[in-house]
Amino acid sequence: MDGIPREDHELSQTYLTFAKNEAAGQSTVYFALSSGIAYDPVLLGLIGELPLLKRQPNLVLAAARWHGAPLESYVDFARFVADHWAEVSQTILARSTQTNEPARCATLLPLLAQLPQPLALIEVGASAGLCLYPDRYAYSYSGTRLGDASVVFPCVTDGAVPDALPQITWRAGLDLNPLDVRDSQAMAWLENLVWPGQDERVARLRQAIDIVRADPPRILKGDLLTDLDGLIAQAPRDATVVVFHTAVLAYVSPADREVFREKMSALKGHWISNEAPSVLGDSPAPGKFVLSLDGTPVAHTGPHGQAIHWL
Ligand SMILES: C[S@@+](CC[C@H](N)C(=O)[O-])C[C@H]1O[C@@H](n2cnc3c(N)ncnc32)[C@H](O)[C@@H]1O
């Protein structure tokens, strides 16, 4: 994922790449602010003192917003962040980018719908578990509606539209730091992680949280490498086990990604991965995720679930 700091990347380059490949066309505010930071020695100096993964543009910008940084002018923003660095950096250290984007279900759904039903869904890196409910939302695939829920996720696709929602009889998640949909502060942080200007995303996020709050998921605190087997063992035998993850493996070291891939190749069930191309060594597709089924790439997807382009 662009915008994840790396030892072999200049910090200014991380902010520029985030601006160009992630924020451009999605949030003019984040594009301007991350481009500004890329050329600002004062903020680069402060951010550069943080542990590597905490230098992430998405996290730094979200923490600044959390403390009320003005977003309209880069000069005012930079002054605010420098003046309030003690509080902002505390939030950066205490929280992480657990962005939970239920719209990503729109990109998972066509694959889920083609597997033998019913399904036992296991999400690794589940955050608050909003992506564990693809059967409870509605979708508009290039204008064709599927489902009758109040929240509708629009998705542009060049392929056939699934004709039914999947049947999910069991679901569970795993996360280093599970978020509870009933915790209003945690949900406020999730909302704060949606980029400025994306008001429709915020509205849909709130609707999805309401749906999930009525029947909260079970999310175990644990690591995807060490704690997944125990969860898989609990899945009912009469359902197809599907282990999936979206926007998670970028936070895992390259060596551990390979161990995880090996584990998934031996899975009795199916493995769905929706990650930035570089994460599992797929061909570059700037600004897109790669959707794979059992290790084979099948589509490029909008990182926030807004599009599917079948390969
Ligand atoms: C960017 S969020 C994505 C959440 C959700 N999958 C989605 O697409 O909306 C990444 C999540 O992965 C979790 N995570 C990162 N590394 C993990 C690991 N090694 N094991 C389990 N969860 C992990 C983080 O805590 C965070 O909640």
Side-chain angles (χ1 to χ4, degrees), residues 25-59:
Q26 301 294 324
S27 168
T28 45
V29 169
Y30 268 17
F31 178 79
L33 297 180
S34 49
S35 307
I37 293 174
Y39 294 104
D40 182 339
V42 175
L43 287 202
L44 287 176
L46 291 171
I47 297 165
E49 306 254 302
L50 295 165
L52 184 68
L53 279 180
K54 295 288 178 179
R55 299 174 201 161
Q56 193 188 352
N58 212 7
L59 177 58

Side-chain angles (χ1 to χ4, degrees), residues 265-277:
S265 332
L267 177 71
K268 288 198 179 66
H270 293 279
W271 168 37
I272 295 177
S273 160
N274 187 46
E275 300 283 349

Side-chain angles (χ1 to χ4, degrees), residues 242-291:
V242 182
V243 174
F244 76 97
H245 48 90
T246 81
V248 174
L249 293 188
Y251 300 93
V252 173
S253 74
D256 284 350
R257 288 175 206 159
E258 284 314 309
V259 178
F260 183 72
R261 192 207 296 263
E262 287 290 306
K263 277 176 84 77
M264 288 300 97
S265 332
L267 177 71
K268 288 198 179 66
H270 293 279
W271 168 37
I272 295 177
S273 160
N274 187 46
E275 300 283 349
S278 58
V279 168
L280 287 171
D282 293 306
S283 312
K288 297 273 183 268
F289 276 6
V290 175
L291 179 70

Side-chain angles (χ1 to χ4, degrees), residues 1 96-102 104 123-128 130-131 174-179 222-225 244-249 251-252:
M1 204 152 47
S96 47
T97 50
Q98 293 193 258
T99 310
N100 200 182
E101 180 46 82
R104 290 181 180 135
E123 182 180 17
V124 294
S127 183
L130 302 180
C131 293
L174 183 66
D175 201 286
L176 291 176
N177 181 39
L179 297 181
D223 188 283
L224 56 84
L225 276 190
F244 76 97
H245 48 90
T246 81
V248 174
L249 293 188
Y251 300 93
V252 173

Side-chain angles (χ1 to χ4, degrees), residues 29 32-33 69-77:
V29 169
L33 297 180
L71 305 177
E72 296 73 30
S73 129
Y74 181 74
V75 173
D76 294 345
F77 169 83

